[in-house]
């Protein structure tokens, strides 16, 4: 594969797309939005579409997309010394004014330094000159804890990118027009609410290597407040392509944020308060999906919680269109929704009780009961959906062997009930280790030891193996413990990730951690004191001081925290 083959490949991808956006490749400010994974994965990310549309709507800007090449293609880029290029015009990464990474998953951190290197952009921000692009990052990972990749970026958007990306680009554009130096532009960016400039916040460590806080540059805010706003515009697929994970789908974001207060869920705290889109906006999105002949993919934290979900489903079905839902709550599921899924060809209903015991569900504030699971099975049976999938976490705080036994019991009872009401299909348990995340009441907790998790997984699998109607799916816990380090890591991980990018990626992580004198077990298993300064403490999600600590104590007491409601002031976000 030569350089022309690589160009032809990108041109073919672009030719096969149907886009609502017409770009101006000659616009004054050139922005590359970079997804640190393949085109096939990245084009299913709705955030990329939303930001791509906003940037290209500005007359002074052009936004193009760059993705991680497939393995063989990446080898060809290296062999032919070709820079990573955009899909739209095959412009190389280093020729853009701004390079914007969409950071959604921890395991993609390894691809950020790899892509910068192949894009001929200095990996470390401190090595960049006035002639290099300004590198920014946004997305969920940049919101809850960007420290592991902070050395690679010049600025991060904390919170939601809509609106603020336009302001950020204007500061860069104006700064260059005025002849400001790079460090002056970055200082000006730090003055925007919702923008974090890591180089202006130097992390401090004591003699034991424990993080103790930041040395903050003069004139810079002591904390960075997250950015968020109302959902007044459509959030949906902008560039449709068949060559993606959800290629047959036109994604429509129904709502954002969740007010259910599940204590393990970062999104429930970082994207609070829950907001919904107007039904007419969603109907217009359905119409656009119809015009493209696509299935509608409804996106949101809990689709069945949308107040007008039945009306939306009726509208989709009135057009003889198919749809699917990103997530459903067993306690808000309706027959209308399930019937529509069945008519759309869906064979499995997916619910997330998270654990098997009522006690542990009280600890995590997951208001789902076995009765709710049985109701879901009944609705499924009436609609003709035969299979059910349950998402389960193990290693949750306060978990005991009795809670593990409860997973087995719940699975057996649920499968028996499915058979009783006429669901002759399979019950699938999809089980993953719990990973404590920043900005949740469990952020101070250590992960359950990997050997313990392996023991629990094997017990569940062995206990259920005789029932042919129950399937147990277990992903390797090894990756979860890498994610655990990255989720709550500090600035020292930048050098480790950069070294991994020169070697075997995530497969080199343990060895490179050891070479850097860092202990994975220390990152994952150590419990933090409530008074301890955490690497993400520089960021402000709008929560009241001590609110997360109070929720931790409520979890220990198995106390219920009711969902968000109008007029509520308890967490501090709705001040």
């Amino acid at each position: 594969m030569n350089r022309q083959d690589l160009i032809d490949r990108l041109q073919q991808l672009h030719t096969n797309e149907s886009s609502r956006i017409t770009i101006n490749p000659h616009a004054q400010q050139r922005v590359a939005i970079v997804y640190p994974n393949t085109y096939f994965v990245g084009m299913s990310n709705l955030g990329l579409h939303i930001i791509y549309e906003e940037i290209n709507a500005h007359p002074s800007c052009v936004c193009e997309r760059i993705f991680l090449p497939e393995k063989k293609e990446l080898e060809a880029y290296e062999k032919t010394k070709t820079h990573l290029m955009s899909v739209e015009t095959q412009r190389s990464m280093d020729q853009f004014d701004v390079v914007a990474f969409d950071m959604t998953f921890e395991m993609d951190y390894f691809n950020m330094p790899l892509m910068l290197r192949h894009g001929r952009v200095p990996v470390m921000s401190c090595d960049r000159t006035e002639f290099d692009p300004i590198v920014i990052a946004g997305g969920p990972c940049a919101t809850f804890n960007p420290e592991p990749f902070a050395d690679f970026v010049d600025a991060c958007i904390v919170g939601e990118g809509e609106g603020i990306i336009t302001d950020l680009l204007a500061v860069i554009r104006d700064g260059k027009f005025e002849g400001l130096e790079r460090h002056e532009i970055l200082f000006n960016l730090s003055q925007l609410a919702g923008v974090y400039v890591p180089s202006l916040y130097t992390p401090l460590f004591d003699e034991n290597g424990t993080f103790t806080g930041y040395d903050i540059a003069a004139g810079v805010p002591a904390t960075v407040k997250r950015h968020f706003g109302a959902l007044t515009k459509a959030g949906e697929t902008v560039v449709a392509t068949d060559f993606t994970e959800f290629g047959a789908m036109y994604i429509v974001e129904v709502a954002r944020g969740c007010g259910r207060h599940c204590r393990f869920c970062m999104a429930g705290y970082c994207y609070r308060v829950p907001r919904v889109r107007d039904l007419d906006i969603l109907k217009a999105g359905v119409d656009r999906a119809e015009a493209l002949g696509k299935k509608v993919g409804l996106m949101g934290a809990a689709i069945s919680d949308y107040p007008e979900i039945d009306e939306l489903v009726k509208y989709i079905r009135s057009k003889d269109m198919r749809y699917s839902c990103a997530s459903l709550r067993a306690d808000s599921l309706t027959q209308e929704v399930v019937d529509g899924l069945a008519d759309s060809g869906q064979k499995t209903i997916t619910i997330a009780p998270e654990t098997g015991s009522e006690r542990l569900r009280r600890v995590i504030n997951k208001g789902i009961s076995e009765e709710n699971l049985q109701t879901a099975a009944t609705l499924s049976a009436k609609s003709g959906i035969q299979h059910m999938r349950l998402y389960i976490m193990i290693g949750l705080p306060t978990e005991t062997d009795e809670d593990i036994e409860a997973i087995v019991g719940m699975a057996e009872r649920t499968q028996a009930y499915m058979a009783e009401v006429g669901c002759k299909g399979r019950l699938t348990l999809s089980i993953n280790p719990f990973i404590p995340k920043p900005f949740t009441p469990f952020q101070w907790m250590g992960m359950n030891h990997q050997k313990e998790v392996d023991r629990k997984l094997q017990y569940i699998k062995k206990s259920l193996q005789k029932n042919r109607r129950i399937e147990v799916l277990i992903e390797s816990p090894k990756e979860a413990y890498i994610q655990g380090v990255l989720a709550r890591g500090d600035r020292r991980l930048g050098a480790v990730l950069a070294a991994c990018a020169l070697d075997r990626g995530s497969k080199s992580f343990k060895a490179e951690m050891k070479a850097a004198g860092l202990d994975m077990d220390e990152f994952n298993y150590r419990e933090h004191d409530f008074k301890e300064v955490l690497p993400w403490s520089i960021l402000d999600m709008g929560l009241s001081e001590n609110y997360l600590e109070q929720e931790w104590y409520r979890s220990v007491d198995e106390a219920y925290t009711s969902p968000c409601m109008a007029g509520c002031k308890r967490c501090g976000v709705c001040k």
Side-chain angles (χ1 to χ4, degrees), residues 141-403:
C141 296
T143 294
F144 71 74
N145 180 24
E147 287 306 292
F149 56 81
D151 280 341
F152 309 145
V153 298
D154 298 302
C156 289
I157 292 176
V158 178
E160 296 164 356
E162 295 102 314
I164 194 172
I165 186 66
T166 299
D167 296 339
L168 181 149
L169 294 176
V171 169
I172 296 173
R173 198 165 56 245
D174 293 346
K176 291 195 173 184
F177 178 78
E178 295 167 10
L180 299 183
E181 294 185 4
R182 189 183 191 91
H183 71 91
E184 293 175 301
I185 294 174
L186 295 183
F187 179 84
N188 290 344
L189 287 177
S190 75
Q191 304 304 300
L192 288 175
V195 176
Y196 172 51
V197 179
S199 61
L200 301 178
Y201 300 81
T202 304
L204 304 172
F205 299 89
D206 65 17
E207 64 276 5
N208 297 317
T210 302
F211 174 76
T212 59
Y214 291 94
D215 180 13
I216 303 174
V220 176
T223 57
V224 179
K225 296 182 182 295
R226 62 133 188 194
H227 175 267
F228 79 112
L231 303 185
T232 56
K233 298 179 181 178
E236 56 193 59
T237 296
V238 172
V239 181
T241 174
D242 292 334
F243 188 66
T244 183
E245 195 171 358
F246 304 124
M249 227 178 272
Y250 186 94
I251 302 172
V252 176
E253 187 182 37
V254 172
R256 189 178 301 170
C258 180
R260 292 286 194 150
H261 296 250
C262 296
R263 295 183 176 118
F264 58 85
C265 180
M266 175 278 299
Y269 292 91
C270 290
Y271 295 101
R272 190 175 294 186
V273 293
R275 291 142 291 152
V276 300
R277 282 194 165 85
D278 184 82
L279 181 60
D280 288 338
I281 291 176
L282 301 181
K283 286 181 175 179
V286 172
D287 293 344
R288 283 186 280 271
E290 182 184 30
L292 288 169
K294 295 277 188 179
K295 178 180 180 179
V296 179
L298 300 179
M299 181 69 66
I303 300 301
S304 49
D305 279 355
Y306 181 64
E308 297 177 278
I309 185 61
D310 282 353
E311 286 301 311
L312 177 59
V313 166
K314 285 176 184 175
Y315 185 75
I316 296 171
R317 296 180 72 190
S318 72
K319 293 172 166 287
D320 293 323
M321 295 175 67
R322 297 182 303 139
Y323 74 93
S324 66
C325 297
S327 60
L328 296 167
R329 290 270 312 192
D331 56 349
S332 60
L333 204 56
T334 68
Q335 191 68 59
E336 185 74 41
V337 171
V338 179
D339 286 349
L341 291 172
D343 289 348
S344 298
Q346 192 155 316
K347 305 296 185 185
T348 303
I349 198 82
T350 301
I351 305 293
E354 311 299 356
T355 188
S357 72
E358 294 283 356
R359 183 200 73 81
L360 198 48
R361 282 197 287 273
R362 290 194 297 271
V363 169
I364 65 176
N365 207 53
K366 184 78 177 187
I368 297 289
S369 65
E370 282 197 38
E371 185 179 348
N372 296 140
L373 297 181
Q374 292 177 357
T375 299
T378 300
L379 297 176
S380 299
K382 287 180 180 178
S383 71
I385 293 177
Q386 297 294 310
H387 307 289
M388 181 180 282
R389 178 189 293 262
L390 302 180
Y391 283 122
I392 302 292
M393 290 188 291
I394 60 170
L396 286 158
T398 79
E399 184 180 80
T400 65
D401 282 348
E402 286 74 19
D403 296 308

Side-chain angles (χ1 to χ4, degrees), residues 80 98 106 194 197 333 355 394 411 467 516 530:
T80 60
V98 179
E106 288 96 343
V197 179
L333 204 56
T355 188
I394 60 170
N467 191 328
F530 289 130

Side-chain angles (χ1 to χ4, degrees), residues 81-99:
K81 297 183 179 179
T82 301
H83 301 190
L84 288 188
M85 299 175 289
S86 70
V87 172
E88 286 79 358
T89 65
Q90 295 77 61
R91 198 191 320 252
S92 64
M93 184 187 286
D94 59 324
Q95 295 302 306
F96 286 88
D97 301 303
V98 179
V99 171

Side-chain angles (χ1 to χ4, degrees), residues 471-483:
E471 176 186 34
V472 179
L473 298 180
I474 298 171
E475 293 189 24
S476 170
K478 190 178 295 184
E479 191 171 291
Y481 285 85
I482 296 175
Q483 291 179 45

